[in-house]
């Protein structure tokens, strides 16, 4: 079972060196225990571009698809046997990156 | 066998066997939805067949077997049966083989899944009452003063989340147990209350099966968590309440209030056990939680020879302590009853009236007002409050009591 662990941020700041170091340690533990699938940090939402090609002619819009106070700053995709395991890992991840996270299962 | 006898047998089997059937099927098929639906179909089949065929010698085994067949039929009917089978296998393979006689733990496993912290508190309660206690959606809706559609949606969404997010079907590990127990105790208390003040025009005023089930599961939870003061407190509270059960409903099926109960009929063994639990908790010197305080209030009542002998100032002190932990309007309403005994009905009525906007849909609010207004000689207003209380009360014994009190007004 795979879960998306989204990092939710409401500050403009990037991760501090201490936070980055803690994230690296956490990533190492994910890999060692076989939970690692993928992870990444994202650039600021202002750097996003929205494309809509449903009409056959691609419409390009500057900025994120959703303006909000809180935004997605990064994510992990983890492999876990069940939600209890995923929630424990997410709690560790939240502490490491010092931000709120959301856990959502893949279908 | 008459149709009425068979219906009675199904009703009894439902109350006794429902949780076992759902828990067994959930472990086997790894899907609460299938388990609930198949259990409901099996009970419906029993209603249809038992009048003609007679009640089987082991109703529980018959229901489990029938429900299992219904579940397999449903899985075969569905297009994605391969996925369902795979999923069920994966879940059951995570668990050690079932030891014989592990049914009780199966039900506890069902409770912990239904009370999972990833579910909203309201959803946990509704799910547990439906899947473990076997209450219907209308009964649950009445217990929580919300519309039936709201309860139905809570249950549907919770089951969908359990499946989609793969909330596990097991008793939590030792590390997680204390944190998970609080949610379970809240649910068990509500199950007990539903049994103690059963709702529905056709039901007994007290459903001893539900109160007994709540006590049994609370004993189990306490055995798992011997250091949890609240588990002990809740058990004490239930025992001290259960001890008064026979005195609480008259021979004619009418509610008897604490003041009028024949205290000689109270169950001395249950009271002794409850008092011992309360004393043990007091001896620990650990700050009590809400169940321990409620148990202490019950202990004060069950220590008194009669209503006048009750240590009301002690009751009020305990309610003040409780209000600091839980400033809910229902606690404030019960506190006002103690106020009436110390400062008189006028002071109590003022306190009750301040709760109007939050408790307008709660029968006990109107019943308490009616009684205070009666004591103040305000018959006309008292009658109106009794009318509203009777309209909202779902318990047959309570309705009978309230109706008589209203009709005695001058």
């Amino acid at each position: 079972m795979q879960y998306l662990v989204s990092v939710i941020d409401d500050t403009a700041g990037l991760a501090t060196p201490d936070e980055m170091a803690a994230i690296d340690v956490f990533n190492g533990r994910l890999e060692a225990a076989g939970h690692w699938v993928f992870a990444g940090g994202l650039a600021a939402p202002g750097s996003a571009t929205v494309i809509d090609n449903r009409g056959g002619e691609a419409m390009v819009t500057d900025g994120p698809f959703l303006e909000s106070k809180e935004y997605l700053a990064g994510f992990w995709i983890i492999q876990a046997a069940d939600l209890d395991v995923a929630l424990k890992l997410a709690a560790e991840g939240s502490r490491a990156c010092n931000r709120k996270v959301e856990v959502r299962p893949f279908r | 066998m008459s149709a009425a006898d068979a219906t009675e047998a199904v009703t009894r089997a439902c109350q006794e066997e429902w949780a076992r059937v759902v828990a067994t099927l959930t472990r086997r098929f790894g899907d609460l939805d299938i388990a609930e639906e198949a259990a409901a179909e099996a009970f419906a089949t029993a209603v249809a067949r038992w009048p003609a065929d007679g009640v089987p010698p082991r109703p529980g085994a018959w229901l489990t077997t029938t429900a299992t067949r219904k579940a397999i039929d449903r899985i075969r009917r569905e297009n994605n049966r391969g996925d369902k089978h795979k999923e069920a296998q994966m879940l059951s393979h995570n668990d050690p083989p079932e030891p014989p006689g592990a049914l009780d733990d199966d039900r506890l496993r069902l409770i912990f899944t239904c009370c999972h912290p990833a579910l909203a508190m309201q959803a946990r309660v509704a799910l547990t009452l439906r899947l473990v206690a076997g209450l219907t959606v209308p009964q649950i809706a009445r217990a929580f003063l919300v519309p039936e559609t709201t309860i139905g949606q809570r249950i549907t969404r919770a089951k969908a989340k359990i499946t989609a997010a793969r909330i596990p079907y097991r008793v939590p590990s030792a590390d997680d147990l204390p944190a998970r127990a609080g949610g379970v105790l809240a649910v068990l208390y509500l199950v007990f209350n539903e049994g103690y003040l059963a709702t529905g025009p056709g039901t007994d005023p007290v459903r001893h099966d539900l109160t007994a089930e709540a006590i049994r599961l609370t004993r189990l939870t306490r055995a798992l968590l011997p250091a949890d003061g609240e588990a002990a407190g809740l058990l004490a509270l239930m025992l001290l309440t259960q001890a008064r059960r026979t005195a609480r409903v008259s021979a004619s099926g009418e509610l008897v209030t604490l003041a009028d109960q024949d205290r000689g009929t109270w169950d001395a063994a249950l009271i002794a056990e409850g008092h011992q639990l309360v004393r043990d908790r007091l001896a620990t010197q650990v700050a009590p939680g809400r169940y321990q305080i409620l148990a202490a209030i019950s202990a004060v009542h069950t220590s008194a020879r009669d209503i006048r002998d009750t240590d009301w100032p002690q009751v009020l002190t305990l309610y003040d302590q409780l209000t600091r932990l839980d400033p809910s309007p229902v606690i404030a309403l019960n506190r006002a009853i103690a106020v009436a005994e110390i400062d008189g009905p006028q002071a109590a009525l003022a306190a009750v009236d301040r709760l109007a906007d939050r408790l307008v849909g709660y029968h006990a609010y109107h019943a308490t007002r009616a009684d205070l207004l009666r004591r103040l000689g305000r018959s006309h207003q008292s009658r109106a409050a009794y009318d509203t209380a009777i309209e909202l009360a779902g318990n047959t014994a309570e309705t009978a009591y309230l109706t008589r009190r209203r009709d005695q007004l001058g």
Side-chain angles (χ1 to χ4, degrees), chain A residues 38-54:
Chain A
F38 192 73
L42 300 174
S47 63
T49 310
V50 175
I51 307 274
D52 185 352
N53 196 21
R54 284 173 299 184

Side-chain angles (χ1 to χ4, degrees), chain B residues 65-82:
Chain B
T65 306
T66 306
T68 302
R69 283 201 202 108
K70 301 277 182 198
I72 291 169
D73 285 350
R74 173 177 155 173
I75 290 165
R76 286 201 180 121
R77 276 197 310 272
E78 286 179 1
N79 293 332
N80 62 345
R81 67 172 190 181

Side-chain angles (χ1 to χ4, degrees), chain B residues 100-124:
Chain B
L103 285 175
D104 288 347
D105 281 15
D106 233 3
R107 276 183 287 184
L108 200 59
R109 188 180 304 186
L110 184 63
I111 288 177
F112 272 109
T113 300
C114 292
C115 298
H116 197 276
L119 302 172
M121 186 61 192
Q122 291 172 325
R124 293 179 221 172

Side-chain angles (χ1 to χ4, degrees), chain B residues 148-162:
Chain B
E148 289 176 24
T149 48
T150 308
I151 294 292
Q153 281 167 0
R154 275 180 202 163
I155 292 172
T156 305
R157 282 188 198 141
K159 285 193 298 195
K161 179 164 182 180
I162 288 170

